[in-house]
Amino acid sequence: MYNHINKLVASLLLVVFSASAHYEDSEVNTMDPYDMVEAVANRTFDRFHHDIDIIKTNPDHLKVIVSDELMPYIDYKYASYKVMGTYLKKTTKDQRERFVTAFQGYLISTYAQAFTEYTDQKVKFAPPADFTHEKMVNVNVQIVEPGRPPIKLQFRVRRLKDDSWKAFDLVAEGVSLLASKSSEISNLIRQKGIDTVILDLEQRTQGHIIRDPKGKKV
């Protein structure tokens, strides 16, 4: 149902996090959106390398890593509401809470699966810009691989009420993944209802992480 989007999210996130790893412990400065994106990338992949033996035995441990290192800096509630779109106002408080939880789990599973396909592309972060008076910023990134044109990405990050920042969307070559999911999930809500979509997301969350069947290294 979400296969095309999943593959795009997986490949792009995996490239950024793997290529950004510095193999060192770094603090995450959530008051600076540019520093935050790089620091989260470093910490997430450092954890991946530290726990590699556990991952080889139990690939589901990747969900733990994503939950611990990545999700605290993703505004999944905001993204969930955006995904529901016009149907948000038609849902009950209980439905909204269940959808947010299910969507969070869906993102964790999606990102965890991404780490099973580690590659060695390089990443270039654009210089930071002044964000003093901004409510949202785009952290521009280029993925560089020999023999291919660079892939242009934008991590969309929003300022919260306490002036800290969280990411909520990834734009790849001008295509917003959040907008893509909004369109797809909104259609499913219209066709099947919010409760059915929640159940579907929950089922995907419960699925196991599968290592590459062709025997690629995790």
Side-chain angles (χ1 to χ4, degrees):
M1 181 165 59
Y2 312 111
N3 287 344
H4 176 70
I5 295 172
N6 284 358
K7 290 180 180 178
L8 187 55
V9 172
S11 60
L12 296 180
L13 283 174
L14 194 284
V15 168
V16 172
F17 290 138
S18 63
S20 301
H22 291 170
Y23 308 105
E24 60 184 20
D25 190 19
S26 58
E27 295 298 324
V28 176
N29 177 15
T30 58
M31 308 306 286
D32 184 321
Y34 299 94
D35 281 353
M36 184 190 72
V37 170
E38 290 198 56
V40 171
N42 294 337
R43 289 169 64 95
T44 303
F45 217 74
D46 286 348
R47 175 74 179 277
F48 172 89
H49 281 280
H50 182 270
D51 293 358
I52 189 64
D53 290 336
I54 300 174
I55 295 168
K56 288 178 179 179
T57 302
N58 176 25
D60 283 341
H61 183 68
L62 287 166
K63 291 183 181 181
V64 176
I65 295 176
V66 171
S67 296
D68 291 348
E69 309 296 346
L70 177 59
M71 294 309 293
Y73 309 99
I74 302 293
D75 195 347
Y76 56 84
K77 182 176 181 179
Y78 180 80
S80 298
Y81 283 5
K82 284 290 187 180
V83 164
M84 280 190 277
T86 58
Y87 294 98
L88 177 63
K89 295 181 179 180
K90 300 178 182 179
T91 58
T92 65
K93 180 181 179 180
D94 177 67
Q95 286 174 324
R96 289 193 294 273
E97 290 177 350
R98 287 191 294 119
F99 184 88
V100 169
T101 300
F103 191 72
Q104 178 190 14
Y106 163 69
L107 289 177
I108 290 171
S109 295
T110 298
Y111 298 162
Q113 188 64 50
F115 282 97
T116 67
E117 303 198 19
Y118 173 68
T119 52
D120 294 319
Q121 294 95 329
K122 303 301 179 183
V123 65
K124 292 183 178 179
F125 284 89
D130 182 13
F131 58 89
T132 305
H133 303 293
E134 302 296 333
K135 293 183 178 179
M136 294 188 182
V137 301
N138 296 326
V139 180
N140 294 307
V141 179
Q142 284 195 348
I143 307 304
V144 180
E145 186 172 3
R148 296 184 180 182
I151 299 173
K152 297 179 180 179
L153 308 180
Q154 286 183 339
F155 284 89
R156 301 197 66 195
V157 190
R158 65 187 293 263
R159 188 194 295 269
L160 306 184
K161 291 181 179 180
D162 63 356
D163 280 337
S164 65
W165 295 79
K166 281 191 175 183
F168 68 93
D169 191 16
L170 176 63
V171 180
E173 295 292 346
V175 179
S176 163
L177 296 178
L178 183 59
S180 298
K181 290 180 182 180
S182 291
S183 177
E184 186 167 4
I185 292 180
S186 292
N187 287 336
L188 289 170
I189 294 175
R190 185 182 69 252
Q191 296 169 8
K192 301 181 179 180
I194 184 70
D195 291 315
T196 299
V197 174
I198 291 171
L199 288 174
D200 181 76
L201 291 173
E202 289 175 342
Q203 289 174 355
R204 290 175 176 274
T205 298
Q206 294 169 3
H208 293 294
I209 302 303
I210 302 173
R211 294 183 61 180
D212 189 276
K214 296 180 181 178
K216 290 181 182 179
K217 294 182 179 179
V218 175

